[in-house]
Amino acid sequence: QVQLVESGGGLVQAGGSLRLSCAASGLTFSSYVMGWFRQVPGKEREFVAAISRSGGNTYYADSMKGRFTISRDNAKNTVYLQMNSLKPEDTAVYYCAADLRLAFTKPYNWDAYDYWGQGTQVTVSS
């Protein structure tokens, strides 16, 4: 069975850093575009970042550029999200997702993703 398991969330002060991990199993990891999304209660799911199958291309939401970095280790079936200079508005549940595609196009489209993790809570205090 396909599983995506996020970890690394927690409480951090504004300006601090966290690194989220998403471990995948039950799928050929290198065949999937991987993405990160986030959501707060009462708000729509928001795209954060995505990375191509080989890791050669990345795409970020404007508000995350320069602060967040997505990476992957296909040998470990894991995708990461390094978050620096965190702000209170970054507080959300962060989800990783997997998308079986041949091309790295419109990776911000949540509907294209086939599998989702359970999420990990990130709370940034002021």
Side-chain angles (χ1 to χ4, degrees):
Q1 295 197 161
V2 174
Q3 286 193 84
L4 303 177
V5 181
E6 300 96 336
S7 62
L11 176 64
V12 65
Q13 293 184 334
S17 299
L18 284 173
R19 190 176 79 154
L20 306 183
S21 299
C22 175
S25 61
L27 78 171
T28 303
F29 184 71
S30 61
S31 295
Y32 287 79
V33 168
M34 298 299 298
W36 287 95
F37 293 78
R38 67 187 187 186
Q39 190 168 30
V40 299
K43 302 290 186 179
E44 293 184 346
R45 181 166 38 192
E46 179 185 20
F47 172 76
V48 175
I51 188 166
S52 60
R53 298 187 303 276
S54 67
N57 294 98
T58 58
Y59 191 89
Y60 298 91
D62 288 342
S63 62
M64 265 63 78
K65 291 179 181 177
R67 299 190 300 122
F68 290 9
T69 303
I70 188 171
S71 61
R72 68 191 295 164
D73 187 340
N74 286 351
K76 296 181 178 179
N77 285 4
T78 302
V79 62
Y80 305 94
L81 183 68
Q82 178 67 46
M83 305 185 293
N84 299 325
S85 301
L86 283 163
K87 306 173 182 179
E89 52 262 44
D90 294 319
T91 296
V93 176
Y94 284 71
Y95 300 90
C96 71
D99 176 15
L100 182 60
R101 300 175 71 180
L102 297 177
F104 191 61
T105 57
K106 298 182 178 180
Y108 48 81
N109 181 12
W110 67 267
D111 193 51
Y113 289 83
D114 302 295
Y115 303 105
W116 294 84
Q118 295 297 307
T120 185
Q121 176 70 47
V122 172
T123 303
V124 184
S125 62
S126 60

